[in-house]
Amino acid sequence: MTARPAPTAAASTATGAAEGRRFLIWVAITTALLGAGLAVLLAVFLRQVRSAEETAQLQADSLTAIVFQHEREFLRLREELRAAAAQPARVDWDALALRQEIFAGRVALLRENPTVTPLRSHPDYVVLLGRLQGLVARVDALLQTNDTGELRAIVDEMARLGPDVQALTLTANGVVVGMIEAKLQEVRRLQHYVVWLMTAQVLVLLAAAAALWLRQRRQQHERAELEALNIALRGARDAAEAANRAKSQFLANMSHELRTPFNGMLGMLAMLEDSPLTPAQRDQLQTARSSAEHLLSLLNDILDLSALDAGQMRIQPEPLNLPQLVHDVHRWLQPHAHRKGLALGLTIDDGGTPWVEADGTRVRQILLNLLGNAIKFTEQGRVDLSLRAEPAGDSGTLVRWTAVVRDTGIGMDTATVARLFQRFQQADPSITRRYGGSGLGLDISRTLARLMGGDVVVDSQPGVGSTFTATWITRVAEPDAQPSGFAVTRPNPWLAPPPPDEASPADASAPAAPSAALAASAASAPAATPPEAQRSGWRVLVAEDHPVNRKFIGLLLDKLGHQVAFAENGRQAVDLAAEGDYDIVLMDVHMPEMDGLEATQRIRTLPGPRGRVPIVALTADIVDDAEQRAQAAGMNAFLAKPVQRAQLEAVMARCIAARAELTTPAPDAAAGTPPSP
């Protein structure tokens, strides 16, 4: 499945803008709907106000009607009684009874109906109501007796009550007007409250919408700032990665450029050393060689440190006999300890698992650095190395190795131990002047130990000595595991190894080499050369573009008794390999027209033995994955410049003795598998 590409900054910004527009549209629609709802609510409220006004008006009309109807019935009854009093002989008592009954009903309504409640607080109403009730009683009595003489008295009484009845009507009208006005004032006040409340709600809603809009704008601004920050961070990351790549390329170029003159300089010094020299000349030569070796050891430390900082240092475990490796380290350093009059002890407890999968070069580098420092800083007494193996975990497939280096040297106080593993640090400022060294070895050793799952710690007392403990973890090798057929020789000073048992006379008088130089020298020590391969007269094809290196390699191979043919670039090397039979090819990696990797791939495509000729990478490129690329291209060994005679002899002898049947790499050989022997 193809991974979807990450959105660009422009796409992210467009997406954010679209989201912002959708949010604003949503806010606008919501605000409009709420505003419409409030408008409807206001309309309903106004309708209710009008209904309340109409209700109040109806109530007022009802009170007015009761009082008015009472006055009208009062006047009708009075006129009926007055007419009866004017013609007593013609009185219609039934009509009077009917009129009296209607009037009595009006009085009862005026007394009992709730509508007249606003009038009950007026004194005129109270007094008049009593008099009216008395009038109703007199008229009822008159209708019972049919006494015509009483008619005149009742008519006169009603004439006296007439103005009061009219006054009650006027009072009722005034009360109704006041009541209606009060109701209207209350309704208007309530209306104002509601209008203000709704206005406040609308304003709050608008304020909330404005706040949301401002918040959205702020979020868009913050999103734009974040996008700009992400772009800046991606640019900074890309710049850092580009700077790291430029640094790696610079280190590779500087390594190549520095090692090329070192190869010629140290090579020619070695060739000169084999010539007849006076004692003074030999001493001067050894001084020059020692200085060059020290400078090369500093270069190796700096390159290792740069590789560790860039995360390009890789642990490459292979099956090996670790106790035998420690024996070799002890054997290599014993002559240097003897020259200082020191005893160099060794004890090993492998726990029954000597064969493990470990990076022998890095283990040697750690041990040689610790032992070399112990010898360098010990003036008398002894230095002891002990190695112990114990199971790591419950799986039974891991082994923890502990190497302890004890010396009777100058020792260190607590403050010095605290800064010991800092880069470019020594016990005190005079140490560098007296003993030499860059102060990088311990930091590199501890970092390598940590890459292998361990550490390096120290315990020391001034004047008593120091104890360095290095630990690392390895996996138990399979019973039938074999080391790979790819021989790797790491960069090293031009220092030939001393004999196993004693130092050569020249070495006996030479100054002690720095421990870093010893570590690099022994770390690149070749395996034992098969006896049947040690012979001369080989036909050697050397592909090298630098004239100084061609001159040195030609002199060295000629001195070893071999026949040499030179190619100045990869294309010439392929042509020469196709035209003639060679026992071995020494191939530089960086060459014009065609590099050594492509030339190796093309040689591997040649038919017959010419396509299986052993090829050794002879290069100053030691950083990054130079070894893996050389192996993937089909080379048999990797030899880093500057090259010394012993290394070259051993590697050539191993490759020719092995007679490896090389596999033909794919065109993209960088991803290929190692050649099978």
Side-chain angles (χ1 to χ4, degrees), residues 176-324:
V176 168
V177 171
M179 184 177 63
I180 292 175
E181 186 65 25
K183 287 290 184 179
L184 290 177
Q185 289 294 334
E186 182 179 357
V187 169
R188 291 190 187 100
R189 185 171 62 254
L190 180 61
Q191 179 180 357
H192 290 154
Y193 289 158
V194 172
V195 169
W196 279 110
L197 179 60
M198 290 186 175
T199 302
Q201 289 178 343
V202 171
L203 292 177
V204 170
L205 178 61
L206 293 176
L212 288 175
W213 180 77
L214 291 175
R215 179 174 177 271
Q216 178 66 16
R217 289 293 302 272
R218 186 170 60 253
Q219 286 181 341
Q220 289 179 350
H221 181 67
E222 292 174 353
R223 186 182 295 112
E225 289 182 345
L226 287 176
E227 290 294 338
L229 179 60
N230 285 335
I231 293 173
L233 290 176
R234 284 194 291 268
R237 180 200 62 194
D238 294 341
E241 292 176 351
N244 189 44
R245 289 192 298 269
K247 172 187 173 183
S248 300
Q249 186 61 41
F250 172 77
L251 288 174
N253 293 338
M254 290 305 298
S255 172
H256 185 272
E257 295 302 322
L258 289 174
R259 290 180 185 281
T260 296
F262 266 122
N263 191 49
M265 179 176 63
L266 290 172
M268 290 305 177
L269 288 175
M271 298 299 294
L272 183 60
E273 190 175 15
D274 290 339
S275 62
L277 298 173
T278 65
Q281 290 173 334
R282 187 169 298 278
D283 179 69
Q284 294 169 0
L285 178 63
Q286 289 176 350
T287 301
R289 187 182 66 178
S290 177
S291 299
E293 290 167 356
H294 181 60
L295 183 58
L296 183 59
S297 69
L298 293 178
L299 175 62
N300 291 335
D301 284 346
I302 292 174
L303 290 176
D304 278 347
L305 193 64
S306 299
L308 289 171
D309 286 343
Q312 296 173 345
M313 182 71 74
R314 298 178 179 87
I315 301 301
Q316 302 172 9
E318 284 193 348
L320 58 84
N321 188 326
L322 195 58
Q324 183 59 48

Side-chain angles (χ1 to χ4, degrees), residues 549-611:
N549 287 338
R550 287 201 304 270
K551 183 177 181 180
F552 161 62
I553 293 295
L555 290 174
L556 180 57
L557 293 176
D558 183 68
K559 191 170 185 178
L560 294 175
H562 304 308
Q563 302 175 23
V564 186
F566 288 103
E568 296 183 3
N569 55 61
R571 193 176 305 279
Q572 291 182 10
V574 174
D575 294 339
L576 290 175
E579 295 172 358
D581 296 323
Y582 294 93
D583 295 299
I584 193 168
V585 178
L586 303 181
M587 182 75 71
D588 189 15
V589 173
H590 296 284
M591 291 184 293
E593 295 191 29
M594 181 186 296
D595 61 30
L597 299 179
E598 184 178 354
T600 299
Q601 295 171 5
R602 295 197 179 188
I603 291 175
R604 290 295 177 233
T605 63
L606 297 176
R610 293 180 180 177

Side-chain angles (χ1 to χ4, degrees), residues 108-137:
L109 286 175
L110 190 63
R111 183 184 69 248
E112 298 175 357
N113 197 299
T115 306
V116 299
T117 301
L119 290 175
R120 290 172 182 171
S121 60
H122 288 267
D124 295 342
Y125 167 79
V126 176
V127 174
L128 180 61
L129 184 62
R131 293 174 66 185
L132 290 175
Q133 289 176 343
L135 176 62
V136 170

